[in-house]
Amino acid sequence: MPVREGGDLGVPIVVSQPDSAAAKALKSIAQRIAAQVSVAALT
């Protein structure tokens, strides 16, 4: 629920609760996507 509530308030979970499991999962997903986009940009 904190993910939705934070989104409703305009405060991302990665800012309000950076050590939470949800924030860590979202950061991990974002890092993997960024890595794939970076590699794709080189080819």
Side-chain angles (χ1 to χ4, degrees):
M1 186 104 86
V3 174
R4 182 192 55 80
E5 291 172 348
D8 289 348
L9 296 173
V11 182
I13 188 108
V14 295
V15 173
S16 64
Q17 297 177 17
D19 294 325
S20 69
K24 288 178 182 179
L26 288 171
K27 287 181 202 174
S28 175
I29 292 166
Q31 288 171 340
R32 286 188 302 224
I33 292 170
Q36 290 177 357
V37 168
S38 178
V39 168
L42 295 174
T43 59

